[in-house]
Amino acid sequence: MDNTLIEARGLSRHYDVSNGFFGGTATVKALSNASFTLQAGRTLAVVGESGCGKSTLARVVTMIEKPSSGELTLDGHHIRSDEPLTDAQQAELRASVQIVFQDPFGSLNPRQTIGRILEEPVLINRPDVTKAQREQQAREMLAMVGLRPEHYDRYPHMFSGGQRQRIAVARALMLEPRILVLDEPVSALDLSIQSQILNLLVELQERLNLAYLFISHDLSVVRHMADDVMVMYLGRVVEKGAASEVFDAPRHPYTRALLSATPVADPTREQTRIRLEGELPSPLNPPAGCAFNPRCWKAEERCRQSAPELDEQEAHPVACYFPL
Amino acid sequence: MPLLDVRNLSVDFKTANGQFRAVDGVDVQVDVGDVLAIVGESGSGKSVSMLALMGLLPWTATITSDSMMFDGVDLSRADDRTRRSIIGKDVAMIFQEPMSSLNPCFTVGFQLREALKAHLPLSRRERQKRAIELLEQVGLPEPERRLRAFPHQLSGGMCQRVMIAMAIACKPKLLIADEPTTALDVTIQAQILELLLDLQKDTGMALVLITHDMGVVAETAQRVSVQYAGQKVEEQGVNDLFANPHHPYTDALLAALPERATTKHLPSIPGVVPGQFDRPAGCLFSPRCQFADDHCRQVKPGNAPAELGHARCHYPLIKGVPQREAS
């Protein structure tokens, strides 16, 4: 049996933004030409700095946004930009892809009890499930994510950040999805709580054979969680491969710089930091050629003229003319 | 004599449900040229203790201390005029959110010159010249143009550079950086930390870095003070702290770092930080501590000697082993 749950080919999402009254419109290429696959029981991490398109990717994969172009196959269903899905198909697909957001304080409705929050996805998507069954499912789910049964009748404000994130994970799992998109799931949490949630995610993945699309900017968390890593810069995938290869032998200069900029909790380690000049260019006006060329120390004339492509055939592809 | 010597600082907040002690008997000593990191999770009182020093807490806060000596002046007893002449000049602070710390209604140049005007006897032209110098010093390209920019026209990293320029405008002896890079991307974080350390080396000022990121601590600090639930639980040099933590909380915190993990399952600290109503009677960490016994749960621990990192623990750890005979 083929275990592939997500297959994306040339996925793009562009936004038209108005440029003032006389300016006409400009196009922001929030996500360009991303291709990847994700199998059941595996974790694909997407890393990059703010504005690199990782959250846009999450929104496209969870069908909050439609792709502008490219093909996306989710759990056997094809989604194409030119052929919209019927509502029934969408509803069915939504049950198999769920998302956990970054901020557990903003993502739970403060006026609903935990029980109600957990039951709502079932209420909407599975109208034939009885009330008693729903409640039972919700209570089982509470136990699964490590909360106590008496939490069923409480409100979100009575919980700490870590517990809220458990509730958010529980809600995402209520429809028994096969794919879970985790958009910075631990970056709002304290270190001692972060490890509890990461452990929970690892346990759930083993038990339910979930596929995780793990979006994070924290490379030490990614290194711990991911099987495969995809590095993005300004809407493009610049490097992807197995986590161990990307971390131990990065090929793209940006990946290398990102890794060296990440502080390591070991004061005795020799610091060999690559100093990146400048900041992320505006996505409204990206540089010609390779998007990274103004900050890259290896950039040559060729980099400024044409953008390198990622060779999908390789095991550890990189979008760079002069890979390391 | 240390540059900053705060003894037994406590801060209580009036809340709707009674008094809440956010900082509980904290001592802070900073020498000239020192880089001290204060680490702790949210609610550990790490920011509040420094805000108390700066006099930036709201009226609901009650600050008590034995003394708050800065450079020979006791800030807790000094009159307002003396305080104002020191705060912002000799002690400066930068904050976590660079975007919201700057006033959106005024240009960067106006805000930068305002800091100079308040403390230094410079003419208008000298202030402008100094403002340009400062922006050059913090590595902003095209300083003349940037001075005319409003904060929303700059990126987060640039705003933080402006904040740093403002803080170092009067050549402070002590710079307090409260989570200066938490809102920034890693490559920008690396630039800002490097800038702070360079400035610290060039000017010889002392730097207090408040952070929750153990990686940042390891790469920047000389000395580390660990806070938990408003108390200082341990203080050590950075290498010793990472190699041989003496307080069980520090030990557990370091073990929970994903990069130190050897298995897929991370060692984690059960439970949460105690809140206003469930503060334990004995050691504050005892409900979450793997070594705690009845003695810990009933009796508040004192501080261990300096060679055990002043650990606020009955049984400080040596190489991960609690020293039960010692007490």
Side-chain angles (χ1 to χ4, degrees), chain A residues 49-50 190 192 195-196 199 202-203 220 224-225 258 263-267 269 271 273 275-276 278-279 295, chain B residues 41-42 155 185-187 189 191 194 215-216 218-219 239 242 257-259 263-266 268-269 271 288:
Chain A
E49 297 179 283
S50 48
D190 276 320
S192 72
S195 53
Q196 294 175 7
N199 283 342
V202 170
E203 279 162 29
S220 59
H224 178 71
M225 293 291 291
L258 198 64
V264 176
D266 180 6
R269 193 183 70 123
Q271 284 194 33
R273 179 157 292 164
R275 206 188 187 143
L276 272 193
E279 312 203 354
R295 301 173 79 190
Chain B
E41 300 177 275
S42 44
S155 70
D185 283 320
V186 270
T187 53
Q189 161 170 296
Q191 293 174 357
E194 207 162 316
V216 171
E219 297 203 349
N239 289 344
F242 280 85
L257 289 171
E259 59 210 74
T263 55
K264 199 81 181 168
H265 192 87
L266 292 170
S268 66
I269 310 176
R288 306 176 74 189

Side-chain angles (χ1 to χ4, degrees), chain B residues 203-250:
Chain B
T203 60
M205 66 180 176
L207 182 64
V208 174
L209 189 72
I210 300 172
T211 182
H212 68 275
D213 187 331
M214 283 293 181
V216 171
V217 172
E219 297 203 349
T220 48
Q222 294 161 7
R223 232 155 26 91
V224 188
S225 148
V226 184
Q227 289 202 12
Y228 180 77
Q231 294 181 334
K232 182 161 95 175
V233 297
E234 177 164 4
E235 179 170 332
Q236 281 206 76
V238 65
N239 289 344
D240 295 331
L241 185 99
F242 280 85
N244 190 5
H246 293 307
H247 196 280
Y249 172 64
T250 320

